[in-house]
Amino acid sequence: MGLGVPELVLELNGRTWTLEESRPYTLGRDPQGDIVLDDARVSWRHATISWGGRSWVIEDHGSTNGTFVQGQRIHQMEIGPGSAVHLGNATDGPLLSASGAAAAPQAQPQQQPYAAQGASPGWAQQAPPQQSPQAGWQQPQHATPQQPAAHIPPQQNSGGVAGAPPIYGDRSPTTFHQFSIGRVMRIGRALENELVVSDLQVSRNHAEFHSMPDGRMEIRDLGSHNGTYVNGQPIAKGGSQLLGPTDIVGVGHSTFRIVGDRLEEFVDTGEVSFSARHLTVEVDGGKQILKDVSFGVPEKSLIAVIGPSGSGKSTLLKALTGYRPANQGDVLYDNRNLYKQFAELRQRIGLVPQDDILHKELTVKKALKYAAKLRFPADTTGAERNARIDEVLRELKLDIHKEKKVTSLSGGQRKRVSVALELLTKPSLIFLDEPTSGLDPGMDRDVMQLLRGLADDGRTVLVVTHSVAELAICDKLLVMAPGGSVAYFGPPEEALNFFGYDTWADVFSAFENYRDYDWAGRWKGSQHYQMYAADIDAIAPQSVQMPPPQAMKPPKPQGWGSQLLTLIRRYVSVIVSDKGFLALTVILPLVLGSVSLLIDSGQDLLPRGRQGNATATTVLLILAVGACFAGAANSVRELIKERVIYERERATGLSRSAYLMSKVVVLGVVTLLQGAMVGAIGFATREVPKEALFLGSATKLELTIPIMALGFTSMMFGLVISSLVKTSEKTMPLLVMFAIVQVVFTGCLFTLNGAVGVNQVSYLMPSRWAVAAAGATLDFNVLSPNKDDPGKTDPLWEHTATAWTIDMIALIALAVICGILVARFLRRHEPEVMRK
């Protein structure tokens, strides 16, 4: 013990612990804690005891059942020899008795009236139950909050650097390594590295620490897949950066800090705190939809967020995950700014949206297999990925369902599969948006118990929900009021008493009936606020230097080509598994091609003197419309139905261009084959000119190529539509409109050349150029002469190789432009923090 520090000895069930002032001591059910209590009423990490500078202080970490002194629940207070603390229950919970050689100042609980709740409407005047805080529940006088310093074990103090920032709160390093001048320490997953990190997010040979001759340290990336980070910012792939005494290096779930001649390693095993500080979100016009939201989430806890419609729950979730950063305020992941260090911290956060984030046509095992392939580094083996998948399936009791298609599972089981996908990368913090929506009460309970288990196993879980049936199993409850402000944050069992009602239906009715009431002011004036939220600003967030904007682009776990190949294989598996889509893919071109045979079946497509040949233009019209409809129908729903999947995968490192290209390749092949079938059927029984412009006697092939290209370009237009709409229901009207517009602008119904304005608009239509290319081969200026001015010809229909080439180039150019537009529109469905 230090000079003048009174010794403190704790006793529990015949066991004793002698506490030193050099570090805090954790109490709870966590086997890794300092004082382990095997009692269900005690939380995983229940409280800490530390030397506060002038006395010993016990601090409750938001435990579910509370910490009690003299029968009264406390948040933080001084203790000393002679103190008695009950954990989990005021009367019969585990009793910690304190003793020591010298007396320390002891703060006796002082009777203090409950803080004024503020003027309230008439409904609040009714007397709540006797145990309610408003009914006179007394609180002990709390000690002034004091934050313990970042703990460095005594034996390391000699080499420490003054002012080294805390990485994981006040926790000790997992391990440390001695450095010497000129030494190189390699980090990676492979066993030959000096620092072996058993984390699938880390490459086999990831990075190297170099001790320079002048005593400085340098970190060098070895071409890692998930990147090496300094203060949360990625360094260039294969690049290096000198390190200062306060710099923090991130590699996978491990973080390193240099303290003197030692390298301290901290492994993120899930024991992370999480807090939101004064989050405010504004939309166009300055309207605030989230107002000064602050709360702190203790590690290994389950937090529920509830509130009426319009209370900002979805906006809050987007702000907490970085999908839509708040205009004001900070989100801190274990004291690190999430917005500024998103590139690194995104790998430690899991998000399960309301909609399923996997392809329902695949089996559970195959869906997870593709997800693992995309999220893990390219140098992970199939055996490593399969081992992790099997581990997660066993943990969530899904191993018996792994060969079933996701679509055949119950709603609760599908939600478990979505959770399993997120658990692959071992996130420490998991967010869920309405996971019980649409589930019956039994499945609701099962899902919430699953989340309770995830928290107990060492993760922090935050769930946004409309269901209030299972709130009791949560550690903390955040209630949002209309307008996006906090109405309550604290233990769920105390929430109804806080509002003075018996049911949540009554509370939500009060929100609706008194929308102008200052719910946030009532909360901030309460004793609950002092206990559970007032000290949210006590710890300053870690300060880091922001690099130039061009250095902010996060690395991708897989190379572009590897991602493209995986995405193509997954998409093909989805299509093959969908028998209905396969059947429609074959039947549609057969029907569309056959319809053209109803127009003078067997009639030739050759000139017939001055009258032309109306059959040729009609057949081309039918074939062009069929190709347009088939191509656009293939793609018009592809992006909107996968939007939630894309948003989540993009946040984990998916390449936007690789995703788009996988759609283009697979749908392009399907559409080109359909176009070939349509053209083959439409031209099979008809006589055509013997000589083509390019392909000699293969005139029918030269006529079919524009039909195939038209289908491909129409498919690209379908992707544009799919990237723009907000719901799948809006795609069909737009598909019909697209097909009708193409009919008008083919040039087969009326003369386009010379029609001022109309002809120029037709240049934006793929059907105009496809029919023109086929018309050039058939010599449409002769087959379909201008009736108003027989001597006037359409330059796009000229029977020359140049005209055919120009028509085809324009058609392909439209497809390229559509691809660029889709890539731009996809940016709107990515985390906003990644777009800056």
Side-chain angles (χ1 to χ4, degrees):
M1 301 297 290
L3 183 63
V5 177
E7 182 181 70
L8 187 69
V9 179
L10 297 182
E11 182 178 354
L12 172 68
N13 297 332
R15 298 182 60 193
T16 60
W17 295 265
T18 300
L19 276 55
E20 298 181 357
E21 83 280 9
S22 60
R23 69 181 185 91
Y25 293 81
T26 60
L27 294 73
R29 290 188 290 110
D30 184 359
Q32 303 301 318
D34 299 298
I35 302 174
V36 182
L37 300 94
D38 187 14
D39 191 298
R41 295 168 295 181
V42 177
S43 295
W44 188 263
R45 290 179 66 87
H46 194 102
T48 59
I49 296 178
S50 60
W51 176 251
R54 63 187 183 90
S55 63
W56 289 97
V57 177
I58 183 168
E59 180 180 1
D60 185 281
H61 282 295
S63 63
T64 301
N65 296 317
T67 303
F68 301 86
V69 174
Q70 297 184 6
Q72 299 179 31
R73 186 165 184 167
I74 60 99
H75 170 59
Q76 184 184 59
M77 68 176 295
E78 298 175 354
I79 62 172
S83 297
V85 180
H86 283 280
L87 304 177
N89 188 281
T91 55
D92 61 355
L95 175 63
L96 279 174
S97 300
S99 61
Q106 182 177 354
Q108 297 296 329
Q110 302 294 320
Q111 297 299 315
Q112 174 179 307
Y114 192 77
Q117 300 298 316
S120 56
W123 56 266
Q125 301 301 325
Q126 61 188 32
Q130 185 61 34
Q131 69 269 25
S132 168
Q134 290 105 316
W137 182 46
Q138 303 298 314
Q139 290 292 333
Q141 179 71 38
H142 300 301
T144 302
Q146 297 184 28
Q147 298 300 326
H151 168 57
I152 301 176
Q155 68 270 22
Q156 297 181 37
N157 289 344
S158 60
V161 176
I167 299 179
Y168 293 117
D170 57 0
R171 285 188 284 282
S172 304
T174 306
T175 184
F176 60 90
H177 312 273
Q178 193 71 37
F179 258 114
S180 57
I181 293 178
R183 185 177 179 187
V184 176
M185 296 185 72
R186 178 175 292 183
I187 312 169
R189 211 171 67 249
L191 296 179
E192 63 265 19
N193 293 287
E194 287 81 4
L195 295 175
V196 179
V197 180
S198 58
D199 179 358
L200 290 183
Q201 294 284 350
V202 177
S203 299
R204 295 186 61 82
N205 296 292
H206 196 102
E208 289 179 341
F209 281 101
H210 286 252
S211 179
M212 311 299 286
D214 59 3
R216 293 186 297 173
M217 294 289 295
E218 181 184 63
I219 180 69
R220 297 180 184 176
D221 183 82
L222 299 178
S224 64
H225 299 280
N226 275 326
T228 304
Y229 301 83
V230 176
N231 298 328
Q233 311 305 322
I235 64 176
K237 193 169 186 176
S240 62
Q241 183 171 331
L242 288 172
L243 301 175
T246 62
D247 288 334
I248 295 171
V249 176
V251 174
H253 285 80
S254 296
T255 311
F256 300 87
R257 178 179 63 188
I258 300 169
V259 179
D261 58 352
R262 287 178 174 153
L263 181 69
E264 294 185 349
E265 178 182 359
F266 297 77
V267 179
D268 186 346
T269 58
E271 299 178 354
V272 298
S273 61
F274 184 77
S275 61
R277 299 188 179 183
H278 310 293
L279 298 183
T280 298
V281 174
E282 296 179 353
V283 293
D284 295 338
K287 180 183 178 182
Q288 292 185 347
I289 55 178
L290 208 64
K291 300 178 182 178
D292 194 26
V293 174
S294 296
F295 63 93
V297 178
E299 57 196 46
K300 294 185 178 180
S301 59
L302 173 59
I303 312 299
V305 180
I306 65 171
S309 299
S311 59
K313 299 188 299 297
S314 296
T315 302
L316 174 62
L317 191 65
K318 291 178 180 178
L320 294 176
T321 56
Y323 273 62
R324 200 293 188 194
N327 300 94
Q328 301 174 30
D330 297 309
V331 176
L332 301 183
Y333 177 101
D334 238 12
N335 201 37
R336 302 175 66 185
N337 192 303
L338 176 64
Y339 297 159
K340 293 182 179 179
Q341 306 187 38
F342 183 80
E344 176 187 355
L345 297 180
R346 64 176 182 159
Q347 302 178 30
R348 309 187 192 181
I349 296 176
L351 173 62
V352 181
Q354 184 172 346
D355 297 322
D356 293 327
I357 50 177
L358 33 78
H359 294 85
K360 299 178 182 179
E361 300 85 358
L362 302 178
T363 64
V364 173
K365 182 73 177 284
K366 186 170 287 188
L368 295 181
K369 172 185 172 183
Y370 287 119
K373 179 71 173 174
L374 288 172
R375 297 192 182 195
F376 289 138
D379 61 3
T380 54
T381 64
E384 288 176 311
R385 293 192 297 269
N386 288 331
R388 179 57 188 157
I389 291 172
D390 291 338
E391 181 182 352
V392 170
L393 290 175
R394 286 193 301 270
E395 180 181 357
L396 298 184
K397 299 180 175 58
L398 287 170
D399 45 340
I400 60 175
H401 304 296
K402 63 182 180 181
E403 299 303 332
K404 296 179 182 178
K405 284 189 176 182
V406 175
T407 187
S408 68
L409 302 178
S410 67
Q413 290 169 340
R414 284 203 304 272
K415 193 57 63 178
R416 282 177 178 264
V417 178
S418 293
V419 173
L421 189 152
E422 290 300 311
L423 291 185
L424 288 174
T425 54
K426 297 184 178 181
S428 299
L429 186 62
I430 303 177
F431 294 92
L432 300 100
D433 187 11
E434 299 286 358
T436 61
S437 177
L439 303 184
D440 60 48
M443 289 185 179
D444 181 357
R445 180 181 60 192
D446 290 343
V447 171
M448 292 301 291
Q449 287 179 342
L450 165 67
L451 303 184
R452 175 73 265 170
L454 293 179
D456 291 340
D457 287 341
R459 305 174 184 91
T460 300
V461 183
L462 188 145
V463 53
V464 175
T465 179
H466 275 112
S467 174
V468 296
E470 303 297 330
L471 295 180
I473 69 174
C474 300
D475 297 303
K476 287 289 188 294
L477 175 65
L478 176 67
V479 182
M480 299 294 292
S485 58
V486 177
Y488 173 84
F489 179 72
E493 64 269 17
E494 298 176 12
L496 286 175
N497 283 343
F498 173 84
F499 289 107
Y501 281 107
D502 295 327
T503 68
W504 283 108
D506 293 330
V507 175
F508 279 40
S509 294
F511 283 148
E512 181 63 30
N513 295 333
Y514 301 94
R515 297 186 71 88
D516 295 331
Y517 179 68
D518 186 10
W519 297 99
R522 179 178 185 269
W523 156 242
K524 291 181 179 179
S526 70
Q527 186 70 12
H528 275 77
Y529 178 81
Q530 297 300 320
M531 292 181 65
Y532 302 115
D535 60 350
I536 193 68
D537 297 317
I539 302 177
Q542 180 195 98
S543 177
V544 297
Q545 294 294 323
M546 294 295 289
Q550 63 268 23
M552 290 291 292
K553 188 175 181 179
K556 298 175 175 60
Q558 298 275 334
W560 188 89
S562 177
Q563 284 196 10
L564 176 62
L565 183 59
T566 300
L567 291 167
I568 289 176
R569 291 175 59 191
R570 182 177 70 178
Y571 193 22
V572 170
S573 296
V574 170
I575 290 178
V576 171
S577 301
D578 190 346
K579 306 302 181 185
F581 180 82
L582 278 179
L584 186 63
T585 299
V586 176
I587 294 174
L588 185 62
L590 291 178
V591 172
L592 295 175
S594 300
V595 168
S596 68
L597 298 180
L598 300 177
I599 310 300
D600 296 332
S601 178
Q603 185 65 50
D604 64 64
L605 303 180
L606 301 173
R608 300 180 193 167
R610 298 182 60 183
Q611 299 301 319
N613 189 340
T615 299
T617 56
T618 305
V619 169
L620 257 295
L621 173 65
I622 298 298
L623 295 180
V625 171
C628 285
F629 187 82
N634 286 339
S635 61
V636 76
R637 288 189 175 182
E638 285 306 304
L639 299 183
I640 180 62
K641 76 179 184 181
E642 290 187 359
R643 182 159 297 171
V644 175
I645 298 176
Y646 172 75
E647 288 177 354
R648 182 66 195 122
E649 291 185 340
R650 179 67 177 140
T652 61
L654 178 70
S655 166
R656 182 195 314 133
S657 58
Y659 174 79
L660 176 57
M661 188 56 66
S662 71
K663 297 295 183 185
V664 172
V665 170
V666 176
L667 291 175
V669 170
V670 171
T671 304
L672 289 174
L673 291 176
Q674 287 179 325
M677 293 174 63
V678 170
I681 295 173
F683 298 121
T685 61
R686 303 183 189 276
E687 185 178 353
V688 297
K690 291 183 169 47
E691 288 296 324
L693 297 174
F694 273 105
L695 302 181
S697 60
T699 306
K700 292 183 179 180
L701 176 59
E702 188 172 285
L703 290 171
T704 301
I705 289 175
I707 300 300
M708 295 168 64
L710 175 59
F712 180 86
T713 305
S714 298
M715 180 271 295
M716 297 300 295
F717 269 87
L719 289 178
V720 172
I721 295 173
S722 192
S723 65
L724 283 173
V725 297
K726 294 183 178 180
T727 62
S728 296
E729 289 74 15
K730 294 180 180 179
T731 58
M732 293 312 296
L734 292 174
L735 172 62
V736 173
M737 183 179 70
F738 171 76
I740 292 175
V741 169
Q742 298 312 304
V743 172
V744 175
F745 287 99
T746 55
C748 297
L749 297 181
F750 59 90
T751 301
L752 290 173
N753 184 44
V756 179
V758 177
N759 190 38
Q760 284 70 34
V761 172
S762 73
Y763 294 159
L764 301 176
M765 306 300 164
S767 62
R768 169 73 158 124
W769 299 101
V771 170
T777 299
L778 293 175
D779 197 359
F780 258 27
N781 282 324
V782 175
L783 282 172
S784 182
N786 190 328
K787 296 179 181 179
D788 299 327
D789 187 357
K792 190 174 183 179
T793 59
D794 190 335
L796 301 184
W797 290 0
E798 290 293 335
H799 187 59
T800 63
T802 300
W804 191 92
T805 302
I806 292 175
D807 294 337
M808 291 301 298
I809 290 176
L811 190 58
I812 300 304
L814 284 177
V816 173
I817 292 172
C818 286
I820 295 173
L821 290 176
V822 174
R824 296 291 299 176
F825 294 148
L826 280 175
R827 291 184 73 249
R828 302 183 307 162
H829 309 297
E830 300 171 1
E832 188 172 318
V833 72
M834 295 180 65
R835 289 183 255 154
K836 295 184 177 180

